[in-house]
């Protein structure tokens, strides 16, 4: 089942979307918003699935689905807990600022509490008040969970995954060192994130296994490929482990979004991997590319995002059909 | 105007509470939940205020208000941004772990992104799975804001304050050093917070001026006074400054809660202040008391919270009437 939230109001209007993303039907007669559906998933899921079947078979009064009509599946959420499961990414970004990666990072997930009071829509501009902040995109996989009890183990946590989607975790790189230096984590350096137009139940994803989403995460910057790392590769901590980490000391409420962190694959030699232009799978953020450029040339050659830049994040299935729709955002002065 | 959310469902049932906290009337005919009221405050505030007048004058079908029937005013919220505005507290807690306080802490607010997907009710037990985590209470003042645009200045930010309340920002002290050492801020070390039974509009608070709430924050542990620090004293950053800090790089959505951090007054000599038993105003958390004990005796004498302990947080007006009702929580095995 594929779900979207059409723009409208603070929480959007829940819609069921066809497998090929061509059609949709509003879920209003059943439940008005995705958060409301998640709040009582056992009651609503069967009804929404029945509507999805009806949509595929032509029984529902369908209309065209346009990705630019979609808000993020949860336009606002009660929690956005973003992991950093691709330790290759962590190593690269830390190397850029001359920091070692502690050995514990390979055995204990890193996770930060993100702002969730308002997400950008998948086609909304990224507002940037000051280009000196060093705006970057971060391509990720994210899941929405149901209620997770405190102390849940990995299996219980994994069973709570309701929906999977893609994320652009916008980051202000030049604000990060000072902010992390204060010791309280990210705040100003993480403005609003965006999620893919469509969220998909795990059973509909051929690449979903072992708590990971396998498949190339296609990253583009101004129409040029930035990366195509496989989200199922080099993910040190699967979503079950990430969710259990988040729930170690407190329960998680339905509608909590848990992120994978920036997707990142090591190179064949175990090193940072090569840019797309040099035959590698590239990167899911500019920070990694800039680090690799610095290692190669002594300084980064790629600038951070500026007004007018366009970023695109998408994943396709075995037949090259878009699974979640595309996050496609222009950077705009704000 | 005083508002509460009576327990029921994930978001409670909004009620208007009388000034003396004796009576309430459900707001359902106007708006069902506090979040819904905040989402369109301009429309609902006048109607809720009219209901409040009707309640005081006996015109509304009132019933007794019992604090133990109340959830936190927002049982779950889209954002909980907790500052650390009493730098005296920061100094004391850092001193406990041998860390200096950077000079910038006096000029730039510290703030962390807290979990907001589920808050404890003001009389709910604090679930504690492992006493070795070092459970502590933290008495704070918190505000709920309306929409705040990105880049708002202090005055704009202050004008967005809709409601004021008290908070118990439960902390797991023994998990903090390792978690902050990883660089991504608090996550497991900050389980669910609790807020006072009642949230109050600023106009009804005689102690609300200059973006601060003046008045003694009464802290009790097992019936013994732990502290009575004045929340209007030694608050280095007022709420306008804290909110503007939170909104520097992104807008804040209506219903965002911004916290003051642990209320803390310096001693007459400018030092950490004395315990209540020695004639001082004491402390709003155990960590400060333990630091002072360590300075005096070489080791802390007060343990962290354990099952069976009871904490109480309250503030009274000039006539000794409770303003927000009391947070009163027992610690319980979970």
């Amino acid at each position: 089942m594929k779900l979207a939230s059409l723009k409208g109001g603070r929480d959007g209007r829940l819609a069921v979307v066809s497998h090929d993303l061509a059609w949709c039907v509003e879920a209003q007669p059943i439940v008005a918003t995705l958060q409301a559906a998640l709040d009582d998933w056992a009651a609503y899921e069967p009804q929404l699935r029945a509507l999805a079947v009806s949509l595929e078979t032509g029984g529902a009064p369908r209309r065209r689905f346009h990705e630019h009509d979609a808000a993020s599946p949860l336009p606002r959420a009660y929690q956005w807990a973003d992991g950093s499961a691709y330790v290759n990414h962590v190593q690269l970004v830390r190397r850029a600022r001359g920091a070692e990666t502690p050995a514990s990072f390979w055995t204990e997930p890193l996770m930060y509490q993100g702002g969730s009071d308002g997400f950008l829509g998948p086609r909304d501009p990224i507002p940037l008040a000051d280009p000196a902040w060093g705006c970057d995109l971060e391509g990720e996989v994210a899941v929405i969970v149901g209620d997770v009890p405190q102390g849940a183990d990995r299996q219980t946590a994994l069973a709570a995954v309701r929906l999977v989607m893609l994320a652009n975790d916008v980051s202000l790189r030049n604000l990060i060192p000072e902010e992390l230096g204060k010791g309280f984590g990210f705040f100003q350096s993480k403005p609003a994130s965006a999620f893919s137009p469509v969220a998909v139940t795990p059973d509909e994803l051929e690449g979903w296994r072992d708590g990971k989403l396998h498949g190339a995460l296609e990253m583009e910057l101004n129409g040029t490929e930035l990366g195509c790392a496989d989200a199922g590769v080099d993910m040190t901590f699967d979503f079950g482990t990430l969710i259990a980490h988040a729930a170690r000391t407190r329960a998680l409420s339905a509608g909590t979004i848990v992120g994978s962190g920036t997707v990142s694959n090591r190179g064949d030699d175990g090193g940072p991997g090569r840019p797309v232009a040099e035959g590698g799978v590239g990167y899911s953020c500019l920070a990694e590319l800039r680090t690799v450029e610095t290692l190669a040339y002594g300084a980064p050659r790629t600038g951070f995002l500026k007004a007018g830049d366009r970023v695109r994040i998408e994943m396709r299935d075995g037949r090259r059909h878009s699974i979640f729709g595309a996050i496609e955002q222009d950077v705009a002065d704000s």
Side-chain angles (χ1 to χ4, degrees), chain A residues 81-87 105-111 141-143 145 152-161 164 207-214 231-247 252 258-261:
Chain A
D82 198 9
S84 203
Y86 301 85
V87 182
F105 281 25
W106 293 96
T107 54
E108 167 96 353
L110 263 181
M111 183 171 282
V141 178
V143 299
V145 298
D153 62 14
R154 175 179 168 273
Q155 282 305 324
T156 305
L158 205 49
V161 172
V164 182
W208 180 258
R209 54 182 186 275
D210 305 325
K212 303 178 185 182
L213 180 64
H214 297 260
V233 173
D234 294 332
M235 189 184 189
T236 305
F237 307 103
D238 78 303
F239 276 105
T241 304
L242 292 175
I243 297 162
H245 178 87
L252 311 179
V258 177
S260 68

Side-chain angles (χ1 to χ4, degrees), chain A residues 109-226:
Chain A
L110 263 181
M111 183 171 282
Y112 76 91
Q113 192 85 50
S116 59
D117 62 315
F119 297 124
L120 304 174
R123 302 298 171 97
D124 288 350
I126 299 170
L128 181 60
D130 186 349
W133 289 343
C135 187
D136 198 356
L137 71 168
E138 289 195 347
E140 307 193 3
V141 178
V143 299
I144 304 175
V145 298
D147 292 307
V148 179
Q150 183 267 318
D153 62 14
R154 175 179 168 273
Q155 282 305 324
T156 305
L158 205 49
V161 172
R162 300 283 177 261
L163 294 159
V164 182
M165 54 191 179
L166 306 181
N168 180 13
D169 181 41
V170 180
S171 297
L172 301 174
R173 297 285 179 201
N174 293 340
L175 300 185
I176 289 178
E178 191 182 348
E179 195 156 57
L180 294 197
K182 291 162 75 178
F184 273 25
F186 305 101
F187 200 100
Q188 294 178 337
S189 50
K190 292 281 186 182
S193 301
F195 296 88
S196 50
V198 167
V200 183
T201 52
D203 61 282
E204 186 151 336
L205 293 165
E206 56 193 31
W208 180 258
R209 54 182 186 275
D210 305 325
K212 303 178 185 182
L213 180 64
H214 297 260
L217 188 66
E218 301 173 20
M219 306 288 305
E220 272 186 22
L221 172 60
N222 297 324
T224 300
E225 191 174 18
L226 175 66

